[in-house]
Amino acid sequence: MQKSAMPKPSVDHLMDTPLPVLMNELGVTLLDSGITDREFFGAVVERKTGELLLTMPAGRSELERDTVARYLLAQAFDVDVSPMPAPLTTTRFGDVRGEAV
């Protein structure tokens, strides 16, 4: 399922739905990242097919993984949520043509 075909979730749905159910509804695949840098919390990557991959470091607390996953999904689906507190930041990278993703 492509991201463009998925409806944008509401803030309430994004925050209240059990994370495995939410990711299944949105067609998101969760992968453990091999990145061990404590400053890396995760990333969402959209493949050319439109499939979304959420990659997060293994070994983090359940609360951290849940919170960061929901925040990154909010960013990926342009759901208006409050920004994470400093020093946490999100960065959007453009594709090979330089377009915003």
Side-chain angles (χ1 to χ4, degrees):
M1 180 183 287
Q2 293 189 4
K3 178 183 143 190
S4 59
M6 290 178 250
K8 178 178 172 177
S10 69
V11 173
D12 288 340
H13 189 69
L14 186 78
M15 296 302 169
D16 295 337
T17 303
L19 190 58
V21 173
L22 180 66
M23 291 188 357
N24 186 53
E25 288 176 356
L26 298 175
V28 176
T29 302
L30 175 63
L31 301 172
D32 284 335
S33 171
I35 298 173
T36 58
D37 184 339
R38 288 297 303 163
E39 294 183 11
F40 175 75
F41 288 88
V44 175
V45 177
E46 184 176 0
R47 302 179 102 183
K48 289 181 181 181
T49 62
E51 175 189 14
L52 290 181
L53 301 176
L54 172 61
T55 178
M56 301 181 74
R60 303 284 174 92
S61 74
E62 185 177 333
L63 177 62
E64 180 180 313
R65 285 177 67 93
D66 187 87
T67 302
V68 172
R70 291 175 193 280
Y71 183 75
L72 290 174
L73 291 173
Q75 298 304 300
F77 284 93
D78 294 320
V79 176
D80 188 22
V81 295
S82 298
M84 294 290 262
L88 299 177
T89 61
T90 54
T91 303
R92 287 184 179 250
F93 292 98
D95 69 10
V96 293
R97 295 177 305 253
E99 298 170 355
V101 293

